[in-house]
Amino acid sequence: MFLTISTTGTPERPATDLGYLLHKHPGKAQAFSTSYGTAHVLYPEADEQRCTAALLLEVDAVALVRRGKGKGRGGAPDAALAQYVNDRPYAASSLLAVAIGAVFSSAMRGVCGARPELPAQARPLRVEVPALPARGGPGLVRRLFEPLGWTVTAEPVALDTEFPEWGDSRYVRLVLESESRTVAEALRHLYVLLPVLDDAKHYWVAADEVDKLLRVGEGWLPDHPEQKLITSRYLSRRWSLTREAMARLELVRLAETDDSEVEAIDNAVAAEAEAEEKPTPLAVQRRDAIVAALTEAGAARVLDLGCGEGHLVQTLLKDPRFTEIVGVDVSMRALTIASRRLRLDRMGERQASRVRLFQGSLAYTDGRLKGYDAAVLSEVVEHLDLPRLPALEYAVFGAARPRTVLVTTPNVEYNVRWESLPAGHVRHRDHRFEWTREEFRTWAGAVAERHGYDVRYVAVGPDDPEVGPPTQMAVFTRNTHTNEKEAKAA
Ligand code: SAH
């Protein structure tokens, strides 16, 4: 399966700039291994006037079937055979989108270190996908790409050219042309719309697909007339996920709306999630594990350090055992969203007296963090550069010193179980690192040792016998020995 991207150029803006934009040198053919096979990038032509990059994905059909195992793909009786004998190896599909994401990730983000001015410049572009499975036919192909500024050619591919009476296959030959789009935009459009047209997404839809869709759809999806179809197909008709994505797109569009709308959307999403029988999302399992550990520790006054958009604060507020909840984050934007989520400005006085949000960095000691029963660092440490971690360690365990500290972080070993994650990638692009179970325990054990805490570990999410759970949590308890010393000192 393959696609080509071509551009034309002039002596001032040579076509070979495409190599910079794609971060792939036109002079050499390169190969990248992805979870489904090998992706090749090569340039059939590359001179000042014309340059074409081809992405060719060699699919390992057997690996593909193996990876699909155990994800409840069951289905029709012939599914077993269809798994092996199918169009995956040659038709452009969601796999090609995965390869785009893996091979051209910087290009998709519009980053070009060597020539920072280039990515924002539109240039003549032509994209060709010779065999694109298109459920919905050429008409839908046009409805998806034309609103994005592409001139679309979508020709049905005959089932068999020798027997025209057999009619058309479900494939089209797609050509997109535009003078007004950037390479990053082209890649982002393809990344989302190829699987939408394929509509047979091969891999399990993880909850973070919503984030991915919103990120890649930034700047074009919120205003697309087919937004609903794109969202639901991209998320493989998982309705609660679709609703969440739709709701969040709505949030983006209504950036400055009043809170009742935000609440209405949140409620709709929650109702949808409840109505549907589905595995509990990992984020919810994480909050459940945190609440359980806090309850077990008898904590009433709790810090949520790196509280982000306030989901945990919201959960804690619903439980009267938590009498004081303080959310701290370095990001003003996250705190603004959190305060709208919590409707801080309209809260009754009693509720309001239980909760506070403030801005602060965990890389500095902060007197405001002293005197609490517990501190939670949920999915935060991996957002700090490793050299900053000792500073966080001191601020939390050395200076603030709550009796209980909970730290959760991804278990990188589990990443092979996320079907949608290209091999060797972290789960979130802001993650500076992800630890194995051993690495996490080495860090946590040393922290406990240095600061007089005991530590135990809790698996969050399905504990895979081979690779462990998706999230690992350390529960630190300040040890009695230290407590006594402190009591004496006081
Ligand atoms: N705790 C939330 C959010 C995790 S995302 C959850 O579990 O969902 C990580 C958060 O840590 C982000 O909101 C980010 O702004 C915050 N963060 C990163 N570095 C920080 C620092 N040095 N000080 C405080 N917050 C930080």
Side-chain angles (χ1 to χ4, degrees), residues 286 304 306-308 328-331 334 360-363 378-380 383-384:
R286 198 153 45 222
D304 182 8
C307 63
V328 180
D329 204 287
V330 76
S331 154
S361 169
L362 300 169
S378 165
E379 308 296 283
V380 172
H383 290 266
L384 272 83

Side-chain angles (χ1 to χ4, degrees), residues 19 40 84 112 133 139 149 152 187 242 262 277 339 343 388 468 479 487 490:
H40 301 271
Y84 288 96
C112 179
V152 178
L187 293 172
T242 307
V262 177
E277 255 189 76
S339 93
R343 309 192 64 196
R388 305 294 290 160
N479 56 43

Side-chain angles (χ1 to χ4, degrees), residues 114-384:
R115 303 274 305 276
E117 77 291 353
L118 273 189
Q121 295 171 0
R123 60 179 312 136
L125 289 177
R126 180 178 189 281
V127 175
E128 176 164 358
V129 188
L132 173 72
R135 210 172 142 264
L140 180 61
V141 176
R142 276 190 288 275
R143 264 159 50 215
L144 292 180
F145 285 100
E146 277 171 358
L148 299 171
W150 295 101
T151 305
V152 178
T153 311
E155 294 164 352
V157 175
L159 207 49
D160 190 318
T161 41
E162 298 210 358
F163 301 96
E165 66 276 16
W166 287 6
D168 293 330
S169 67
R170 62 187 191 93
Y171 299 93
V172 301
R173 183 179 79 93
L174 172 71
V175 179
L176 302 173
E177 283 162 303
S178 179
E179 305 262 329
S180 60
R181 299 273 69 109
T182 66
V183 168
E185 285 170 328
L187 293 172
R188 291 153 75 114
H189 296 163
L190 292 166
Y191 180 83
V192 173
L193 297 179
L194 293 184
V196 163
L197 283 162
D198 184 1
D199 202 20
K201 206 170 178 187
H202 59 287
Y203 50 78
W204 185 59
V205 178
D208 65 355
E209 286 287 305
V210 174
D211 292 315
K212 203 183 292 172
L213 177 62
L214 293 176
R215 212 158 58 224
V216 179
E218 202 180 310
W220 62 271
L221 188 50
D223 298 318
H224 198 294
E226 296 292 349
Q227 184 197 105
K228 186 156 186 191
L229 176 136
I230 294 170
T231 311
S232 77
R233 278 204 187 180
Y234 182 86
L235 297 172
S236 295
R237 300 177 188 277
R238 294 265 308 243
W239 287 111
S240 66
L241 286 178
T242 307
R243 286 299 301 259
E244 187 193 334
M246 292 291 294
R248 288 171 59 185
L249 281 165
E250 202 65 24
L251 278 182
V252 173
R253 195 148 12 112
L254 308 173
E256 298 307 324
T257 53
D258 61 302
D259 305 70
S260 61
E261 277 180 77
V262 177
E263 191 191 41
I265 291 164
D266 272 0
N267 287 343
V269 171
E272 194 76 29
E274 262 166 42
E276 189 174 320
E277 255 189 76
K278 59 165 186 153
T280 316
L282 185 57
V284 175
Q285 295 187 49
R286 198 153 45 222
R287 289 198 286 278
D288 289 348
I290 290 168
V291 170
L294 289 174
T295 307
E296 197 181 321
R301 306 178 58 238
V302 178
L303 294 166
D304 182 8
L305 303 177
C307 63
E309 300 179 0
H311 291 280
L312 178 64
V313 173
Q314 187 174 38
T315 304
L316 296 178
L317 258 178
K318 289 187 187 134
D319 189 330
R321 279 175 296 199
F322 302 110
T323 56
E324 192 178 338
I325 304 143
V326 177
V328 180
D329 204 287
V330 76
S331 154
M332 236 7 250
R333 193 181 156 274
L335 289 172
T336 307
I337 296 174
S339 93
R340 290 175 71 184
R341 174 184 312 290
L342 300 168
R343 309 192 64 196
L344 276 190
D345 54 337
R346 313 206 186 160
M347 225 174 230
E349 234 170 84
R350 264 211 14 229
Q351 280 294 74
S353 70
R354 290 174 59 211
V355 60
R356 217 145 36 88
L357 298 177
F358 66 75
Q359 191 190 17
S361 169
L362 300 169
Y364 302 93
T365 53
D366 187 335
R368 295 175 294 180
L369 305 185
K370 283 206 168 132
Y372 289 85
D373 300 332
V376 180
L377 290 144
S378 165
E379 308 296 283
V380 172
V381 292
E382 65 275 10
H383 290 266
L384 272 83

Side-chain angles (χ1 to χ4, degrees), residues 59-78:
V59 174
D60 178 346
V62 174
L64 193 60
V65 174
R66 294 226 176 93
R67 293 185 64 87
K69 283 249 170 74
K71 295 294 178 200
R73 297 185 352 150
D78 64 346

